[in-house]
């Protein structure tokens, strides 16, 4: 099934979104110029989610990618709730009091976040009251705990992740008299999601990561070339520190059964995630909730089984690993992406492709053909394509789309092959998942002048 270039473009651009940070008095005062984001589904419906928002009561911007598994319910809930928990965790005591007093007296609330959403980014209206009540309980506790100290960003991120996960678990245990909501909170808790979130405030960039999505910084070296700096670590079997952490938290007798076939208890790829109460609750609690839950839950195979060798839960945490980086003028952009991207591309290629896209300058790599036998005709084709690529203006208006085009369409020579792209994008739903995962990407562009000015002030 062959797609024309315009059909390919309409598939690739369906979920793209761009945001430019507004200038004030003709000047750009933010360290963020703007961001591009996009998603390409492999699952139907897509299990990835993305979020971006400006914090209105504190400084800073929040951006995140969320990768769901066992359905999209948990990723959906986390994508619409986590930023509120982070924002509330960062608010000063007086602002929390103001917000609580407004709720008490029925006055309009101070807006906490300005969302930057694509029309396809869904928000569940039915659950908003339930979600609001859980959030309110959280800020009431923060008011009671008032220590008078300003909250450290790192601590705020960790507290927000853990608290939201706790609330997801609690809501599922309590249930809801409304049968639709009851089923929703259970679906959220029994499915799971990883999260990789950036908080950018001036030159302070914090990455909070739970699971195996990744954050990577694109750095422009003095000679104009591009390099990649990892700002997160995958929480899976490939990370020895993470395997050690899991082993430390359980008795020695379980050492052999904790990680099997590179999965947690032989089942779960990420070693940290939201939801996934199958790996957190006691067996008694799981049985009680499933038995008293709606019938749809009983019909779901996933909720009924108990993981093998399940002796000392919880086996899973949503606590993020937080990395802080002080931005420098050579730090040009940040890429946040779900593992669908990193399975297909090396971070160094990601840095080069985005860097060249943003600057419009190609650094000609010598053509590498590896161990391939290349005919003169093929070599001529490669050189012609390279010349065309330099002379043509980029067809994508969005850096994330440009990256997805490469992730799905690159051939063995590192150039986009239209035929390959066409094949990959026309795969039927049930086959697509065998060839690739959902891909969600946010590319954040930094403002070197503003970052330089911060440094000069110091």
């Amino acid at each position: 099934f062959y797609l024309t270039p315009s059909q390919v473009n309409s598939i690739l651009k369906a979920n793209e979104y761009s945001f430019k940070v507004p200038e004030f008095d003709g000047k750009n005062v933010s360290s963020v110029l703007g961001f591009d984001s996009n998603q390409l589904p492999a699952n139907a419906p897509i299990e990835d989610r993305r979020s971006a928002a400006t914090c209105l009561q504190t400084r800073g911007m929040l951006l995140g990618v969320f990768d769901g598994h066992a359905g999209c319910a948990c990723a959906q809930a986390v994508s619409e709730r986590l930023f509120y928990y982070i924002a509330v965790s960062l608010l000063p005591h007086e602002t929390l009091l103001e917000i609580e007093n407004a709720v008490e007296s029925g006055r309009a609330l101070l807006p906490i976040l300005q969302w930057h959403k694509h029309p396809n980014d869904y928000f569940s209206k039915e659950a908003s009251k339930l979600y609001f009540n859980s959030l309110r309980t959280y800020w009431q506790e923060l008011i009671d705990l008032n220590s008078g100290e300003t909250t450290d960003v790192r601590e705020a991120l960790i507290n927000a992740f853990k608290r939201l996960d706790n609330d997801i678990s609690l809501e599922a245990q309590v249930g809801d008299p409304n049968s639709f909501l009851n089923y929703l909170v259970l679906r959220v808790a029994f499915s799971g999601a990883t999260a990789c979130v950036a908080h950018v405030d001036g030159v302070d960039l914090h990455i909070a990561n739970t699971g195996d999505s990744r954050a990577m910084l694109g750095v422009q070296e003095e000679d104009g070339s591009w390099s990649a700096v990892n700002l997160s670590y995958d929480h899976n079997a490939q990370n020895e520190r993470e395997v050690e952490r899991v082993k430390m938290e359980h008795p020695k007798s379980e050492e052999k059964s904790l990680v099997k076939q590179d999965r947690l208890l032989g089942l779960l790829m990420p070693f940290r995630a939201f939801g996934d109460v199958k790996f957190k609750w006691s067996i008694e609690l799981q049985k009680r909730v499933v038995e008293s839950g709606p019938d749809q839950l009983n019909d779901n195979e996933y909720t009924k089984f108990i993981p093998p060798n399940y002796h000392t839960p919880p086996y899973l945490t949503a606590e993020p690993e937080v990395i802080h980086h002080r931005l420098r003028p050579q730090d040009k952009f940040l890429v946040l992406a779900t593992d669908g991207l990193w399975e297909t591309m090396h971070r160094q290629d990601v840095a080069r492709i985005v860097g060249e896209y943003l600057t419009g300058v190609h650094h000609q790599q010598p053509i590498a053909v590896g161990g391939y036998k290349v005919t003169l005709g093929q070599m001529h084709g490669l050189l012609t394509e390279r010349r065309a690529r330099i002379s043509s203006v980029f067809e994508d208006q969005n850096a994330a789309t440009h990256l997805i085009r490469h992730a799905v369409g690159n051939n063995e020579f590192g150039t986009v092959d239209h035929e390959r792209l066409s094949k990959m994008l026309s795969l039927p739903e049930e086959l697509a998942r065998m060839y690739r995962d959902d891909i969600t990407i946010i590319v954040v562009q930094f403002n070197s002048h503003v970052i330089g000015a911060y440094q000069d002030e110091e």
Side-chain angles (χ1 to χ4, degrees):
F1 189 61
Y2 194 73
L3 303 173
T4 65
S6 69
Q7 286 171 319
V8 164
N9 281 347
S10 68
I11 293 172
L12 288 179
K13 294 170 189 277
N15 297 311
E16 68 179 10
Y17 179 84
S18 291
F19 175 74
K20 294 278 167 278
V21 173
E23 296 184 349
F24 296 97
D25 304 329
K27 283 208 302 290
N28 202 317
V29 290
S30 169
S31 57
V32 174
L33 281 169
F35 70 86
D36 289 341
S37 82
N38 201 349
Q39 295 189 294
L40 182 68
N43 291 298
I46 185 169
E47 294 185 346
D48 280 8
R49 294 291 185 271
R50 58 180 165 180
S51 295
T54 302
C55 300
L56 296 173
Q57 306 303 328
T58 55
R59 299 189 330 203
M61 199 165 182
L62 285 164
L63 306 111
V65 295
F66 312 95
D67 187 349
H69 45 265
C72 57
C74 188
Q76 177 60 44
V78 174
S79 73
E80 51 184 290
R81 302 179 71 180
L82 181 58
F83 288 5
Y84 282 114
Y85 280 71
I86 294 171
V88 163
S89 307
L90 287 166
L91 289 177
H93 187 246
E94 306 72 64
T95 315
L96 288 173
L97 278 174
E98 255 177 82
I99 292 173
E100 177 56 26
N101 291 337
V103 178
E104 286 265 294
S105 56
R107 291 197 315 276
L109 284 189
L110 284 172
I112 298 178
L113 295 172
Q114 177 196 351
W115 290 92
H116 309 300
K117 289 212 300 277
H118 185 280
N120 295 357
D121 295 341
Y122 164 78
F123 257 45
S124 64
K125 306 252 185 321
E126 303 83 0
S128 57
K129 195 169 181 329
L130 169 78
Y131 290 172
F132 178 81
N133 290 338
S134 293
L135 183 69
R136 184 182 178 190
T137 306
Y138 179 41
W139 80 55
Q140 287 170 335
E141 285 176 29
L142 289 174
I143 290 170
D144 294 343
L145 285 170
N146 173 34
S147 56
E149 295 164 25
T150 51
T151 316
D152 163 63
V153 176
R154 186 174 179 279
E155 218 171 297
L157 288 163
I158 292 172
N159 293 344
F161 273 62
K162 285 164 73 172
R163 177 60 183 233
L164 172 57
D165 192 51
N166 197 46
D167 283 355
I168 285 171
S169 172
L170 210 58
E171 288 157 3
Q173 290 172 50
V174 172
D176 197 281
N178 171 328
S179 62
F180 173 82
L181 277 181
N182 195 27
Y183 186 44
L184 176 81
V185 295
L186 289 163
R187 276 198 7 244
V188 168
F190 277 95
S191 59
T194 68
C196 188
V197 170
H199 179 267
V200 195
D201 176 9
V203 288
D204 289 306
L205 168 63
H206 286 84
I207 301 290
N209 182 50
T210 287
D212 52 9
S213 292
R214 280 184 208 166
M216 182 214 91
L217 198 61
V219 180
Q220 191 164 29
E221 305 298 345
E222 281 179 7
D223 66 357
S225 67
W226 295 94
S227 65
V229 176
N230 266 352
L231 288 182
S232 67
Y233 299 103
D234 293 355
H235 299 133
N236 58 22
Q238 271 57 60
N239 179 343
E240 285 173 22
R241 276 212 335 257
E242 194 61 9
V243 174
E244 278 313 301
R245 176 190 67 78
V246 171
K247 286 182 176 169
M248 293 284 291
E249 291 173 4
H250 299 276
K252 204 145 178 57
S253 56
E254 292 185 56
E255 204 165 341
K256 287 198 167 56
S257 57
L258 280 171
V259 180
K260 279 190 154 170
Q261 285 147 351
D262 282 352
R263 291 169 181 256
L264 189 64
L265 298 180
L267 296 169
L268 198 63
M269 286 289 264
F271 284 15
R272 302 190 194 197
F274 283 90
D276 279 321
V277 293
K278 305 272 333 153
F279 297 86
K280 293 173 181 169
W281 289 356
S282 69
I283 293 175
E284 297 72 51
L285 179 58
Q286 290 189 40
K287 285 186 172 153
R288 181 171 68 73
V289 170
V290 172
E291 279 160 18
S292 61
D295 293 340
Q296 300 108 301
L297 202 64
N298 275 312
D299 302 339
N300 184 334
E301 284 306 306
Y302 182 69
T303 54
K304 279 199 288 215
F305 83 93
I306 301 291
N309 303 301
Y310 198 78
H311 309 295
T312 52
Y315 288 91
L316 192 63
T317 176
E319 181 169 336
E321 192 170 7
V322 178
I323 290 181
H324 171 250
H325 175 83
R326 276 186 74 77
L327 290 170
R328 309 156 300 172
Q330 63 265 40
D331 298 332
K332 300 298 182 187
F333 60 88
L334 170 74
V335 176
L336 297 171
T338 53
D339 63 350
L341 173 70
W342 311 109
E343 283 166 5
T344 59
M345 290 187 86
H346 189 271
R347 63 175 182 271
Q348 198 49 57
D349 295 328
V350 170
R352 181 181 54 78
I353 287 165
V354 176
E356 290 179 355
Y357 171 84
L358 293 175
T359 55
V361 178
H362 283 280
H363 271 258
Q364 287 299 16
Q365 308 282 336
I367 281 195
V369 290
Y372 296 101
K373 287 199 171 78
V374 179
T375 64
L376 271 175
Q378 285 170 318
M379 188 52 111
H380 177 70
L382 280 172
L383 290 166
T384 321
E385 187 182 345
R386 165 178 278 198
R387 199 166 66 218
R389 205 170 67 214
I390 299 158
S391 59
S392 74
V393 181
F394 282 115
E395 54 194 340
D396 295 316
Q397 306 302 304
N398 178 303
T401 308
H402 187 66
L403 203 44
I404 289 176
R405 189 184 296 277
H406 277 269
V408 179
N410 266 5
N411 60 17
E412 60 270 40
F413 306 118
T415 58
V416 175
D417 175 344
H418 176 74
E419 200 172 319
R420 180 182 164 81
L421 199 52
S422 167
K423 275 185 191 152
M424 291 296 280
L425 293 179
S426 59
L427 287 170
E429 278 167 9
E430 60 279 10
L431 275 181
R433 188 62 193 85
M434 293 162 67
Y435 286 91
R436 57 180 177 81
D437 197 353
D438 296 330
I439 300 176
T440 298
I441 300 173
I442 301 178
V443 179
V444 186
Q445 201 178 349
F446 295 122
N447 188 333
S448 308
H449 300 299
V450 171
I451 291 167
Y454 268 104
Q455 284 194 331
D456 297 343
E457 280 171 26
E458 290 169 6

